[in-house]
Amino acid sequence: MGGFAHSVCRRGLFAYIVCTAWKSTGGVAFFAPRREKPNACYLHPPSLPVVCRVFSTPLRAAHLLENMLGAFRARRGAVIFDDLRAIQLRCGFLPQAELQGLSQRTQTPLYQIHSVASFYPHFHLLPPPKAEVRVCADMSCHLNGACELRADLERRFANSRPEDVQIRDVSCLGRCDHAPAISINDHIFTDVTAAHAELIARRAIQGNAIHEPHPEHPRIACKADPYGESEKYGVVRKLTQSKGWEAVLAQLKAAELKGMGGAGFPTSMKWDLVRQQPDPVKYVVCNADESEPGTIKDRFIMTNLPHLLIEGMIISGLVTGAKRGILYIRHEYHLQEEILGAEIRRCYGQGLLGKGLLGSDMDFDLEVFVSPGGYICGEESALIEALEGHRAEPRNKPPFPGQIGLWQKPTVINNVETFINVPQILARGVDWFVSQGAGGSRGLKFVAVSGHVTHPGIFEVPMGVPIGDIILNHAGGLRSGRQLKAFAPSGPSSGYLPASMADVRLDFKALAEAGSMLGSGAIVVCDDTTCMLDMALNAVRFYRNESCGKCVPCRVGSQKMADMVVRWTQGGVPETQYRADLALLAELSEAMSLTSICGLGQIAPAPIQSVLKHFRTEVDAHVLHGQCPSGICFTPAARAGEAQRVGIRP
Ligand SMILES: Cc1cc2nc3c(=O)[nH]c(=O)nc-3n(C[C@H](O)[C@H](O)[C@H](O)COP(=O)(O)O)c2cc1C
Ligand code: SF4
Ligand code: FES
């Protein structure tokens, strides 16, 4: 069915439902258009007769109502999180009585509120202790002593009451360049020692306020910035005059700009799809959720190039016809939230955002939405669900967000780095963009390097340089003169490659050919003291913990995979059992890759599969001979720690 016919039928059906519901309920309409989701909402009874009298045809009434409903729901999505946050701020957690009160006030069924509150790690359903200490357990922190830190803290607080202090794991806090990182009562501390963490926790136990340090750093000048010290937003200024939308798409296509959030989808195609949708209401969403271990490049970009990000989003709105943008940012990025908030206010002040951009007839509004937490929120359709105020469970695709996205409207979703590439290309031209890459690749890339390197951090490099060069020349090489053993080109989702492959180029195609992926450019480096089976377990656990649980292959498969790898790290598995395990693992991996709803379940087998491929003798030594060549897995400390690690979600 063509887009227009589809739209007419949809509206007709919707109008029919509206009118029928109105008749049957005497004015109180209950809407759940297109799918059964906990997003039903109630309209004030008197509004319907008025709407239907003014708009005589069901189609026109439906059109208006659909738009009203979009705006109403948009507010509602934010409202549920605002309400929950306000209760948590006041009470320290979400007491049942408060949730019941919220349910009555907003006329939202309690189970819906509970289903949201219990999903996100940011919300507490039970009273927290005075000091809630969470130690990041993921790759970069794991490589930098997180297990030992946690064990030490547990010893130091062994005699404390649970209502005073609790020590738990937490998923990546977005500070992988300053590992190990911890959070105490949601304040993040980096490069911590056990003594330092104990001091802060004891302060919290005594009821003293604790503060997250925000060291002042001057903005770092980047090659990617076409403006430097001169006037910013030059591309938007020109575009509001020229209105050359087709030319923008042609340039992005010629530049072959791909998405930098992981999947590498061509940006011009995505924008063109949204542009072609006949719906007058569309959205632009920036995905700044950035929660995969090792991934911190967007944090750097938002700190140092906020104007380029905002300009990229405005351009996207102008080209696709979207009048509203939402910047979805992870809740651990307080500083970046402030920086972006200040830049957005500046833009409104200068007429670069809002009604009639720079005196033109075009509008674009932009707001920041702070994520209630969880890696899965970065998956684009889960992110949309979160924006709508639901549990962040990915949708089945198709339809894609470009067709039916936020509030059922066509939606552009791009990564932070993708957006900042757009003004670069438009300001300096396609030839400049092409010339910035190395070895036939295009453009510049921000990469994060963490793990066992001398200078972990975020670096701006030409796309296409060998990864080994980045590790050596930018991150200062291996720490303490050790040798490179392995590296993950992009956090757990890329799996691990051996040192012998360090000359692989930082490029979509080159990394895919190496059996890995460019992903988000989060290089995690392991030296020769690292146990690769232990690293595989760390990554498998991350996926198990972060699985949203919506589909069986991922929910059950990730747990089975974690159980199996734990058993392997404990040794003593008979050879026949090991062979059976390997066959089961292959089958499980295939089933998860083929049948999981989203990328999380599809990619979860990558770390263990890569370790089996490149470090098989090390795995065999554990399983068949009860030996960890790196001396990590069979220590009493490792076994004691194991018992604690049953998951992170509350
Ligand atoms: C589990 C999961 C987490 C993701 N997290 C992010 C993220 O934090 N940031 C991001 O830009 N993309 C993330 N993605 C990819 C998005 O789904 C989507 O492809 C991306 O935002 C599209 O933008 P791009 O085309 O500019 O890359 C994630 C995907 C999955 C499956
Ligand atoms: S693959 Fe995993 S994370 Fe994705 S929808 Fe299924 S259960 Fe949720
Ligand atoms: S902060 Fe620990 S892995 Fe990212």
Side-chain angles (χ1 to χ4, degrees):
M1 194 185 295
F4 179 70
H6 178 260
S7 160
V8 168
C9 286
R10 203 153 64 80
R11 292 222 173 91
L13 182 65
F14 184 73
Y16 172 77
I17 296 168
V18 167
C19 296
T20 316
W22 177 33
K23 279 186 195 151
S24 65
T25 59
V28 180
F30 172 81
F31 299 99
R34 292 188 63 80
R35 66 204 161 100
E36 281 188 56
K37 291 293 294 177
N39 65 348
C41 44
Y42 301 85
L43 279 191
H44 188 238
S47 59
L48 263 172
V50 175
V51 166
C52 289
R53 228 179 292 128
V54 175
F55 293 88
S56 46
T57 68
L59 192 67
R60 287 169 68 191
H63 181 83
L64 179 91
L65 281 169
E66 211 176 340
N67 288 338
M68 276 170 55
L69 206 53
F72 181 74
R73 285 214 213 96
R75 195 58 218 123
R76 189 175 175 277
V79 163
I80 187 160
F81 293 125
D82 288 352
D83 282 335
L84 292 173
R85 282 190 180 115
I87 296 173
Q88 186 153 298
L89 198 66
R90 189 160 35 83
C91 308
F93 73 112
L94 301 175
Q96 184 70 6
E98 291 281 346
L99 295 185
Q100 275 164 350
L102 179 63
S103 158
Q104 279 163 7
R105 269 199 317 283
T106 58
Q107 299 208 355
T108 311
L110 182 60
Y111 81 89
Q112 283 178 13
I113 292 183
H114 194 272
S115 79
V116 171
S118 60
F119 185 85
Y120 294 99
H122 183 62
F123 297 120
H124 307 291
L125 292 171
L126 295 171
K130 289 178 187 155
E132 185 174 50
V133 182
R134 293 172 169 228
V135 181
C136 173
D138 289 331
M139 285 168 94
S140 316
C141 291
H142 187 68
L143 287 167
N144 281 287
C147 273
E148 294 75 8
L149 173 65
R150 181 179 156 156
D152 196 343
L153 284 171
E154 274 162 3
R155 269 194 302 278
R156 287 168 189 256
F157 288 102
N159 298 322
S160 299
R161 298 177 311 163
E163 55 273 33
D164 282 340
V165 61
Q166 279 170 25
I167 298 159
R168 295 172 51 193
D169 287 346
V170 68
S171 289
C172 176
L173 291 165
R175 308 292 194 276
C176 325
D177 48 343
H178 291 286
I182 64 167
S183 88
I184 300 182
N185 298 352
D186 286 335
H187 299 280
I188 298 176
F189 301 89
T190 55
D191 295 313
V192 288
T193 59
H196 182 209
E198 181 186 3
L199 201 73
I200 306 166
R202 293 215 182 275
R203 228 179 278 155
I205 294 169
Q206 284 157 10
N208 296 321
I210 57 171
H211 299 287
E212 181 175 326
H214 270 319
E216 285 282 317
H217 290 302
R219 291 237 170 123
I220 297 170
C222 301
K223 274 179 86 179
D225 190 354
Y227 303 121
E229 294 304 313
S230 59
E231 188 182 51
K232 302 186 187 341
Y233 299 95
V235 176
V236 166
R237 288 177 211 282
K238 279 200 189 129
L239 271 178
T240 48
Q241 303 286 318
S242 72
K243 303 190 178 178
W245 320 132
E246 295 294 343
V248 170
L249 290 176
Q251 276 178 281
L252 298 187
K253 188 171 177 193
E256 296 177 14
L257 178 62
K258 295 189 175 73
M260 296 291 167
F265 190 81
T267 307
S268 63
M269 273 174 73
K270 192 182 277 190
W271 288 21
D272 200 23
L273 175 71
V274 176
R275 179 168 161 71
Q276 284 176 22
Q277 302 303 306
D279 202 316
V281 180
K282 300 174 186 180
Y283 297 102
V284 173
V285 175
C286 173
N287 189 343
D289 190 57
E290 188 161 76
S291 302
E292 178 151 347
T295 312
I296 40 176
K297 67 169 177 80
D298 294 342
R299 193 193 76 201
F300 179 91
I301 294 172
M302 289 186 282
T303 310
N304 296 291
L305 298 167
H307 57 284
L308 274 199
L309 170 54
I310 291 171
E311 183 166 33
M313 291 186 75
I314 300 174
I315 297 169
S316 179
L318 295 179
V319 170
T320 59
K323 292 186 172 37
R324 186 168 164 213
I326 301 172
L327 207 158
Y328 187 105
I329 189 168
R330 67 176 299 181
H331 71 87
E332 292 89 348
Y333 283 177
H334 316 291
L335 178 63
Q336 290 66 32
E337 202 190 313
E338 280 170 28
I339 291 172
L340 287 162
E343 185 65 21
I344 289 174
R345 281 193 296 280
R346 216 176 350 263
C347 286
Y348 271 106
Q350 295 177 2
L352 285 152
L353 283 172
K355 282 218 162 300
L357 289 193
L358 298 167
S360 72
D361 57 352
M362 287 160 284
D363 313 329
F364 191 72
D365 282 297
L366 181 57
E367 66 197 275
V368 174
F369 181 96
V370 180
S371 173
Y375 169 58
I376 193 57
C377 293
E379 197 281 335
E380 57 189 11
S381 61
L383 184 151
I384 289 175
E385 290 289 311
L387 282 176
E388 292 186 5
H390 310 144
R391 295 162 70 88
E393 289 175 349
R395 296 176 179 174
N396 280 308
K397 287 183 247 177
F400 295 97
Q403 302 154 302
I404 297 180
L406 183 61
W407 315 112
Q408 317 295 320
K409 301 294 180 189
T411 304
V412 170
I413 298 196
N414 277 124
N415 173 256
V416 171
E417 194 178 8
T418 314
F419 278 121
I420 68 149
N421 268 301
V422 173
Q424 287 180 61
I425 293 168
L426 300 180
R428 289 154 152 173
V430 176
D431 289 346
W432 173 87
F433 185 73
V434 172
S435 72
Q436 294 306 298
S441 304
R442 297 172 168 216
L444 297 164
K445 177 93 190 85
F446 286 94
V447 284
V449 187
S450 63
H452 289 149
V453 286
T454 310
H455 303 300
I458 299 102
F459 308 104
E460 186 182 26
V461 300
M463 186 80 108
V465 291
I467 289 187
D469 285 3
I470 302 173
I471 296 173
L472 192 66
N473 301 332
H474 292 271
L478 272 288
R479 229 172 31 194
S480 318
R482 308 281 339 172
Q483 296 297 309
L484 177 68
K485 178 170 183 178
F487 62 98
S490 187
S493 58
S494 63
Y496 299 97
L497 295 179
S500 59
M501 294 175 81
D503 57 357
V504 64
R505 294 190 312 111
L506 184 81
D507 175 80
F508 286 101
K509 192 158 170 272
L511 277 158
E513 283 169 3
S516 181
M517 62 194 265
L518 176 71
S520 56
I523 303 168
V524 183
V525 177
C526 306
D527 72 14
D528 52 356
T529 63
T530 312
C531 169
M532 295 314 296
L533 186 58
D534 179 54
M535 290 308 289
L537 175 58
N538 182 273
V540 168
R541 264 208 197 103
F542 168 75
Y543 288 121
R544 187 274 315 269
N545 293 340
E546 294 298 324
S547 167
C548 80
K550 177 172 176 173
C551 64
V552 174
C554 171
R555 185 180 67 233
V556 179
S558 61
Q559 181 62 55
K560 284 206 173 303
M561 205 169 261
D563 290 344
M564 189 183 288
V565 181
V566 166
R567 235 184 313 120
W568 288 1
T569 61
Q570 292 169 344
V573 179
E575 188 161 352
T576 46
Q577 178 64 52
Y578 183 32
R579 307 248 160 268
D581 277 359
L582 286 170
L584 180 63
L585 186 70
E587 215 179 311
L588 191 59
S589 301
E590 193 182 1
M592 288 175 73
S593 302
L594 293 176
T595 62
S596 294
I597 289 180
C598 84
L600 190 152
Q602 290 157 9
I603 208 70
I608 181 63
Q609 290 296 358
S610 66
V611 166
L612 279 169
K613 182 173 171 192
H614 299 294
F615 302 94
R616 178 63 187 267
T617 47
E618 207 171 309
V619 182
D620 290 352
H622 284 79
V623 188
L624 299 175
H625 310 297
Q627 288 167 1
C628 173
S630 310
I632 286 174
C633 298
F634 296 99
T635 58
R639 287 181 182 222
E642 192 54 52
Q644 311 288 335
R645 284 172 176 72
V646 289
I648 288 174
R649 283 187 181 283

